Every structure is written in C-alpha cells, then in structure tokens.
Amino acid sequence: MKGGVKGWLRVLAPVGASMGGLVLLRLLGPDVIDQRELRDFLAPLGKGAPLAYLFALAVRPLTLLPGHLFAAVGGMVFGTLLGTVYALIGSFLAAIVVFAIGRKVGVRPMKRLAGEHYPALARVARKHDFHFTLLTCINPLLPTDMMLAAAAASGARFWPSVAGIIVGTLPGTFLMVQFGSGLAQGRTIMTVVSGVGLVVSFVLGGILGRRVYKEINAAPPTTEPPEALPSPPPPGGAVPMARKEGLASPS
C-alpha cells in the first residue's frame, strides 16, 4: 500500500509542480504568460515558429524534460486546436527518435535500465506491441520513453508501437494544451477544468494500465533445465561387451 502511494506521489509531484509553477508565473507576471505577448515575442520567427516548436518536441527525449510541459507551452503560444495538432506531431517525431535509439543501442543498455524486469518487459512488448505502448503511455507509473526504447530493442514492430504512443498520449496532450491555453488567455474556469481533467486522466490511466504494470513486475518465467549430456566413454576406448551391438549381455 505504501509503495503504491509513493509511486503515485513520484508521478503526480512533477506534474503538479509544473502546473503550479505555471500558475504562479501567471499570477506574478501576467505579461510573461500571455498569449498575445508570447505571439509577439515569436513574431520574428514567422512561419518558422511551429517548426522550431516541433524541433524542440522531437529532441525532447534527449533533454529528459517532461512532455506535458512542452504541451502546455504549445497551448500558451498556439491555442488549443493548433497546440494539440503540433503537440501530437511532435510526439510522433519524438517517438521516432526514441525508437531509433532503442533499436540502435540494443538489448544490453535496456537490461541495465530495466533490471530484473527486462525479460518480462521484452516478452510483453514483442507479443502486444500496440497494446503495450498504449497502456504504458496512459499509465503514469511507467516511463513512456524508456518503455518505447525497450520495446524497440526487444524487436517490437515500429508502426504498431508508435501508433500506441500517439493514441495513448492524445487525452493527456489535449488536456495539457487546453490547460496552457486557458492559463495564457486568463480563462480561470477553462484552466481549472482542464487541470482537474488531467488529474482524473492520470488516475484512470493508472487503473487501466495496471495489467501491463503487474505483468512487467511479475517474476520472469522459469526456464527448463538443460538436458543432461551423455557420460563420456571409459578411457582407452574400450566398450563393455554388454553394450556392443548385436551381442547379448553375459548372464
């Protein structure tokens, strides 16, 4: 029970800190988090602003920064609709980067990261690639980037794995983009509703994804002992009379 509470706190604490930090920044410096001010700041980039945002999302896994923070920034700058579209495209690009890295580095680094759970993780990822990435994405207790890299190293298929990431990240991405958009526009009700929706989605994601979480944390299957090798012949090459082919054993 205590371990489960600690797991939830490890997940919700960074999310709550990010959301709380953005809200505090809005209260202390309303000009800093204001949609018009942000657009004016990015105006010199012109049509390159979305490309810069997509590039930042694509390399995000290399920075180890949380994706929900980037989604909130997208909502602040581009609004709910475009922010969601750009965030999903960026998630697709980031998934390509993570999958390529996982396939390139191979199994050994993934074993070091996942530890004793890697055999079960690899088995589930190969067998249920789409469902595996989908459930690990919506389950906040599992690190999505590491799970996708482990699936790639284990030989999971590319398109089903990436599709599971996109489908799984859609609800949380939309809510986080809406949270950022409402915050930048000063819409308190919209911000509160999206914030509550994020918490609910995290809880539901943990409940729905507990099956794969339990299967990954289960003990790896026991392997059958190797067959015993035949005993070597006696020295000198002598073969007992009783074992010579065609001769009967002495009575």
Side-chain angles (χ1 to χ4, degrees):
M1 184 65 178
K2 292 183 178 180
V5 173
K6 290 182 179 180
W8 281 106
L9 289 178
R10 283 197 298 266
V11 173
L12 295 178
V15 178
S18 300
M19 296 171 63
L22 292 175
V23 172
L24 183 62
L25 189 60
R26 169 71 185 186
L27 295 176
L28 297 179
D31 294 337
V32 177
I33 299 184
D34 182 79
Q35 201 164 58
R36 292 182 180 179
E37 295 290 338
L38 290 172
R39 287 179 178 177
D40 292 340
F41 177 77
L42 297 175
L45 294 177
K47 295 182 179 180
L51 296 178
Y53 178 67
L54 291 177
F55 176 78
L57 285 173
V59 300
R60 177 202 57 78
L62 305 179
T63 65
L64 302 180
L65 292 174
H68 61 266
L69 187 59
F70 283 78
V73 173
M76 294 176 183
V77 177
F78 304 108
T80 302
L81 179 59
L82 288 178
T84 302
V85 173
Y86 292 152
L88 289 177
I89 296 175
S91 297
F92 174 73
L93 298 176
I96 294 177
V97 172
V98 173
F99 196 93
I101 292 176
R103 187 62 61 88
K104 182 69 176 180
V105 300
V107 174
R108 185 172 298 177
M110 293 298 104
K111 284 184 176 180
R112 293 180 180 177
L113 290 174
E116 60 181 5
H117 302 301
Y118 181 79
L121 188 153
R123 185 178 67 255
V124 177
R126 286 194 303 267
K127 186 177 181 181
H128 311 286
D129 37 22
F130 173 80
H131 293 90
F132 172 78
T133 54
L134 171 65
L135 293 177
T136 54
C137 189
I138 65 177
N139 190 335
L141 299 177
L142 298 173
T144 303
D145 291 339
M146 192 191 81
M147 291 297 171
L148 178 59
S154 304
R157 296 173 298 173
F158 171 76
W159 284 112
S161 300
V162 174
I165 291 292
I166 299 302
V167 175
T169 196
L170 178 58
T173 298
F174 173 76
L175 289 171
M176 200 66 197
V177 170
Q178 191 178 43
F179 175 83
S181 179
L183 191 65
Q185 296 180 44
R187 299 182 178 180
T188 305
I189 297 178
M190 180 179 177
T191 304
V192 172
V193 170
S194 57
V196 173
L198 275 170
V199 175
V200 173
S201 68
F202 276 120
V203 175
L204 290 178
I207 295 174
L208 294 175
R210 62 183 177 180
R211 176 182 176 184
V212 66
Y213 184 73
K214 290 181 178 179
E215 191 166 353
I216 291 174
N217 283 276
T222 56
T223 55
E224 296 181 359
E227 296 181 359
L229 298 176
S231 57
V239 180
M241 292 293 295
R243 295 186 180 180
K244 286 185 179 181
E245 185 177 359
L247 295 180
S249 299
S251 55

